[in-house]
Amino acid sequence: MTNQLQFNMTFPKFCFDRSFTFESGLHVIYGESGSGKSALINQILELEKRQENFHLTNINRPEEFQKVFQNPDTQIISSTLGGELAFSLECRSNDQEYISTKLASLKEKLFFECAEHRHPATLSGGEKEMLNIVTAFSVNPQLLLIDDGLSFLNVNGKQNMLGYIQNQIVETNCIVLWLTSDCNDLQFGKTQWELSLSSFNEWNGNISPLPAVEHKSQSNEITIACHDLFFSYNGDRDLFNAFNMKIDDFRALGITGSNGCGKTTLAKLLLHIERSESGSITLTKAGEKAAMAYLEQFPEKMIGADSLDSFVQRLVTAGKLDKYKINHAVKNLKNCQLEWEQIKYKTALDLPWSTLRVVLTIWLLNSEYDLLILDEPTFGLGRQQVLTLTHHLRLYLKNKHLIIISHDTEFIYTFCDRVFDMDQSTIITEKNNITSNG
């Protein structure tokens, strides 16, 4: 048995060959999307032998380990919160008294309301991440590998979970490797690292703040209005109770707030994916119904088992995408180092989550909609990739409008000309100089 994680890492194309040792503590590894963060985790766990750019040998790891997946839905298997919290415990013990005592303790460690019968589908992305980390620690692993598993959390939620993780490290002397696409997360590590396509080294760079984006033209054509809006999930908790709001005069509206406050639900009510119990919610352009499209925070739900090309053909059939725009979108993808001919027949299962999100965003930006709603568009994207996405969004805003739902407050406050803080029920019109999500 070992209380260290050790491995040798080789990048054959770049003459890189080094050995690494990680001891008890929180170690943060930053990398752009596509740099191989998930592959590094899978090679440590010996789930895959090699990645295109690097491979690991001489792996020595603790026997008890857990992995927190990038997509929180991948880890959740039960139809109730109580069942999800109990599952790992029941797999390892038949002692019902021990399981009941442990279960009560786990419920107290969650930072949101935990009714045992509540379905995990009603949780926000950030609440699912909290659930997955708590369940991973429930079996006292000696090694925990987190694959971008805190990226849906707002600032307070992330700080709460990091405090919980640090307490677990002190109590159990475990090793935690947190792989992230947000360079601001490096500040939380006992050690800080950067994984690139050619090397794996200790971080020694500087983090430059995102530049503020000025939108040259504003528009008072778009108006969002809620009047006495009521909505709850199965009557368990009221997300909106006599909710009233009116927002207009924006090109890019950011919506932010704590995990589970109803940001994604608000978007789904606008699109009639969810139905309010009473009251009204409308989005209009010059007094008429606006044409809207929505990119989910879990983008694989948009295409299911279909290929990316099938998704594009559906846009064409719906009259939302013409031939000229297809060629333009292909060029946009090329600017993001994505060759359409190489990925067009791939499905959501064949691509990294962040790549899938960028591809779908580019196609929707080139389609004929008055307004796009993007839910967590920067999730899984590294610094340079966020800047590239910002460029494409700015071009789109010359004639269109955006609503961006995100916990990435740095991106929200530097890009959007209006921000609606759902916790404070306030509309912010001045750009704040936010340089960190930590």
Side-chain angles (χ1 to χ4, degrees):
M1 182 179 294
T2 179
N3 59 356
Q4 295 180 328
L5 169 65
Q6 298 171 316
F7 56 81
N8 190 82
M9 190 173 196
T10 304
F11 288 77
K13 297 178 182 178
F14 300 97
C15 300
F16 181 97
D17 190 343
R18 283 183 59 187
S19 296
F20 299 90
T21 298
F22 295 91
E23 298 182 338
S24 173
L26 175 61
H27 308 276
V28 180
I29 301 171
Y30 164 71
E32 297 270 324
S33 173
S35 60
K37 298 187 297 296
S38 297
L40 175 58
I41 288 177
N42 288 336
Q43 286 196 50
I44 289 172
L45 299 180
E46 299 181 84
L47 299 176
E48 59 182 67
K49 293 185 177 179
R50 61 175 61 226
Q51 196 252 9
E52 183 177 351
N53 291 315
F54 64 82
H55 63 266
L56 304 187
T57 55
N58 301 322
I59 302 167
N60 185 25
R61 64 168 187 268
E63 293 181 4
E64 295 291 335
F65 56 83
Q66 289 287 309
K67 172 183 175 180
V68 175
F69 290 81
Q70 182 184 52
N71 182 344
D73 280 340
T74 302
Q75 194 164 332
I76 298 172
I77 61 171
S78 179
S79 60
T80 66
L81 290 185
E84 185 65 24
L85 289 170
F87 179 78
S88 294
L89 301 173
E90 291 173 341
C91 288
R92 298 184 177 224
S93 174
N94 293 320
D95 187 336
Q96 291 303 311
E97 183 177 350
Y98 165 76
I99 292 174
S100 296
T101 302
K102 185 75 172 179
L103 194 57
S105 173
L106 293 178
K107 290 177 188 176
E108 294 176 357
K109 293 173 181 176
L110 289 172
F111 295 94
F112 58 87
E113 181 184 346
C114 180
E116 279 197 40
H117 63 278
R118 185 178 174 188
H119 199 292
T122 66
L123 300 178
S124 70
E127 288 173 331
K128 290 175 182 177
E129 288 182 332
M130 294 179 192
L131 174 65
N132 289 342
I133 289 172
V134 169
T135 55
F137 271 120
S138 69
V139 292
N140 300 320
Q142 298 163 306
L143 170 66
L144 179 65
L145 303 168
I146 303 176
D147 189 356
D148 246 331
L150 298 170
S151 295
F152 281 132
L153 294 173
N154 72 333
V155 173
N156 290 335
K158 183 178 288 188
Q159 289 175 341
N160 286 336
M161 287 313 300
L162 286 171
Y164 171 72
I165 290 170
Q166 293 289 4
N167 287 338
Q168 293 297 118
I169 292 171
V170 171
E171 290 178 13
T172 66
N173 203 37
C174 64
I175 305 164
V176 179
L177 263 60
W178 172 20
L179 289 87
T180 176
S181 299
D182 186 351
C183 55
N184 289 308
D185 292 334
L186 287 163
Q187 63 184 300
F188 301 113
K190 174 182 177 180
T191 64
Q192 303 89 28
W193 303 81
E194 181 177 18
L195 175 65
S196 71
L197 293 174
S198 60
S199 65
F200 179 53
N201 292 302
E202 287 193 85
W203 171 265
N204 58 7
N206 296 314
I207 301 173
S208 300
L210 292 176
V213 176
E214 297 295 334
H215 303 295
K216 293 182 179 180
S217 61
Q218 290 186 331
S219 171
N220 57 10
E221 291 183 325
I222 294 286
T223 301
I224 301 175
C226 299
H227 179 67
D228 286 342
L229 185 68
F230 284 83
F231 180 83
S232 65
Y233 281 108
N234 300 321
D236 283 344
R237 62 187 184 115
D238 293 334
L239 272 179
F240 299 104
N241 189 339
F243 180 67
N244 292 282
M245 172 191 72
K246 182 178 181 182
I247 306 174
D248 54 18
D249 193 26
F250 68 87
R251 276 287 174 192
L253 171 66
I255 299 179
T256 189
S258 57
N259 296 106
C261 70
K263 300 180 297 297
T264 294
T265 301
L266 187 67
K268 291 182 176 180
L269 288 167
L270 270 173
L271 291 151
H272 304 297
I273 297 171
E274 299 283 1
R275 299 283 180 175
S276 62
E277 295 163 36
S278 61
S280 64
I281 179 170
T282 58
L283 189 147
T284 56
K285 178 181 179 183
E288 302 294 329
K289 184 178 179 180
M292 294 179 284
Y294 173 50
L295 179 60
E296 288 215 24
Q297 60 179 307
F298 302 109
E300 73 280 4
K301 295 179 181 179
M302 293 187 64
I303 62 174
D306 291 339
S307 68
L308 292 172
D309 188 61
S310 296
F311 173 78
V312 171
Q313 294 309 314
R314 290 204 301 270
L315 291 173
V316 172
T317 302
K320 296 298 183 181
L321 189 61
D322 62 33
K323 185 176 181 180
Y324 168 75
K325 286 293 188 179
I326 289 177
N327 294 332
H328 192 257
V330 170
K331 292 179 181 178
N332 291 160
L333 289 169
K334 194 178 183 74
N335 290 337
C336 299
Q337 285 75 54
L338 294 169
E339 294 291 342
W340 178 240
E341 290 301 317
Q342 295 178 11
I343 63 173
K344 63 189 294 185
Y345 297 119
K346 294 184 180 294
T347 70
L349 297 177
D350 301 321
L351 294 170
W353 225 22
S354 51
T355 301
L356 177 62
R357 191 184 302 276
V358 169
V359 172
L360 296 181
T361 299
I362 292 296
W363 282 112
L364 289 175
L365 289 174
N366 282 277
S367 300
E368 293 300 319
Y369 293 100
D370 298 316
L371 180 143
L372 290 185
I373 302 175
L374 305 179
D375 201 341
E376 302 289 357
T378 62
F379 179 94
L381 300 184
R383 199 62 159 190
Q384 190 56 49
Q385 292 159 331
V386 170
L387 291 172
T388 301
L389 175 65
T390 299
H391 169 73
H392 291 293
L393 295 181
R394 286 185 68 182
L395 294 176
Y396 175 82
L397 285 177
K398 288 182 178 179
N399 301 303
K400 306 291 185 177
H401 302 77
L402 284 171
I403 294 177
I404 297 175
I405 300 168
S406 182
H407 296 111
D408 187 345
T409 52
E410 181 183 10
F411 177 71
I412 282 276
Y413 281 100
T414 53
F415 183 81
C416 298
D417 54 356
R418 298 285 185 277
V419 177
F420 178 51
D421 186 330
M422 291 189 63
D423 292 332
Q424 304 297 325
S425 294
T426 55
I427 301 169
I428 301 165
T429 58
E430 297 294 327
K431 289 190 181 294
N432 292 349
N433 224 355
I434 293 183
T435 60
S436 172
N437 291 318

